[in-house]
Each structure stands twice: as structure tokens, then as C-alpha cells.
Amino acid sequence: KTYLDENFMFVKEYLAEHLPAAVFSVPEATYLAWVNLKGCLPDVADLPGFFANNAGVLLEGGNDLFVGNAEGYVRLNLAMPRSIIKTGLERMTEAIEKHNKQSKYIIKRPCSFSRMGKVFLVYPVYLIFYSSTCSMESNAQVRSRRILQ
């Protein structure tokens, strides 16, 4: 039990350092870690397929295999040597970083600004990521660039 608890702490610390957009809480009574990676790969629908093809890591997850609210989640088995867990997490991190540097994805977020004492909320504004740079464009700019389908 102590070794398993240490594996959970290792995963929590690794994710906080290398994949801060991942959401993970140490569970109370299981050897399975449920990790929400939607923030890391918002444009990837099939996370198990992505990691199998791009990282050589076999995972379970998503709505098809589990309950209807598991979109963006993967399930990690932590009942194994920490060195294997570390290797898997490193491969996953490399695949995520490579994908995000090569692809462009759009995230909708509300935006507000104030003018003459009044606050205005503009929604949606699209944050468009290219490699490690970010630019903000209005709906009209996005449509004129034919990014929306």
C-alpha cells in the first residue's frame, strides 16, 4: 500500500510539473488514476488512440468505455514499478508537446473590457494557438480566415 501511495504522489507531482493543464486528484481506495487531459489536448477526441499511436502507451478512457461523463479522461494503472509509470508519463508528455506545437486549435473563452465606466462581455472570442504563440481574434477575423467550419 505504501508503494502504491507513493506512485500516486509521483503522478500528482509529475503532472503538476510537466502537464499543469491536466486535472488529477489522488483517489481514496483504488490503484487506478483518473486523469482529465482535456485541457492538454482539447482537439483530440480519442485519447487512448492518440497515445497508442503517438506515444506507444496503451490507456483506457473516454465515454465509449466507461460512463457517459468520461470525455477527456484516461485511466492509468499505478500498480506497477514506478520506472514504468515514469516512462509512460514521459512518452505521453512528449506526444502532447509535439502535437500542440504542430497543430492549431481553438478555445472559446469569454472576454470583457471596460469603456467609460461600463463593463462589456464579449463572447465568444477565439484564442488561436500556433506553436507556443497566442493571438486573439474577433469572430469576424476568424470567419474571414476560414478557420471555422
Side-chain angles (χ1 to χ4, degrees):
K1 175 156 172 33
T2 301
Y3 191 81
L4 187 58
D5 290 341
E6 291 171 359
N7 280 353
F8 275 105
M9 292 311 299
F10 172 77
V11 169
K12 182 177 181 174
E13 291 168 5
Y14 183 94
L15 293 175
E17 182 178 342
H18 299 283
L19 296 173
V23 179
F24 171 70
S25 298
V26 176
E28 292 182 22
T30 184
Y31 60 93
L32 300 171
W34 286 88
V35 183
N36 184 343
L37 295 175
K38 188 183 268 188
C40 299
L41 294 165
D43 61 330
V44 175
D46 178 16
L47 291 175
F50 172 83
F51 288 116
N53 294 319
N54 296 292
V57 177
L58 300 178
L59 302 170
E60 297 176 326
N63 289 340
D64 294 338
L65 187 57
F66 302 108
V67 296
N69 62 349
E71 182 181 340
Y73 283 83
V74 294
R75 186 171 81 166
L76 307 176
N77 180 340
L78 300 188
M80 62 181 66
R82 196 166 300 123
S83 61
I84 295 173
I85 295 169
K86 183 179 184 219
T87 299
L89 289 172
E90 288 170 346
R91 288 180 180 183
M92 291 169 64
T93 301
E94 288 174 20
I96 290 168
E97 289 172 351
K98 183 178 179 183
H99 174 79
N100 288 340
K101 285 180 182 176
Q102 293 176 348
S103 69
K104 171 182 60 182
Y105 52 91
I106 299 171
I107 302 173
K108 297 177 185 178
R109 300 246 169 110
C111 176
S112 64
F113 65 93
S114 61
R115 178 119 345 158
M116 298 189 311
K118 295 182 180 179
V119 176
F120 297 88
L121 179 65
V122 178
Y123 185 86
V125 168
Y126 296 91
L127 296 179
I128 301 174
F129 293 84
Y130 298 93
S131 300
S132 61
T133 62
C134 174
S135 65
M136 189 179 289
E137 299 182 356
S138 70
N139 285 343
Q141 290 169 315
V142 171
R143 278 192 211 94
S144 69
R145 292 172 49 111
R146 300 174 191 226
I147 293 174
L148 296 179
Q149 297 180 19

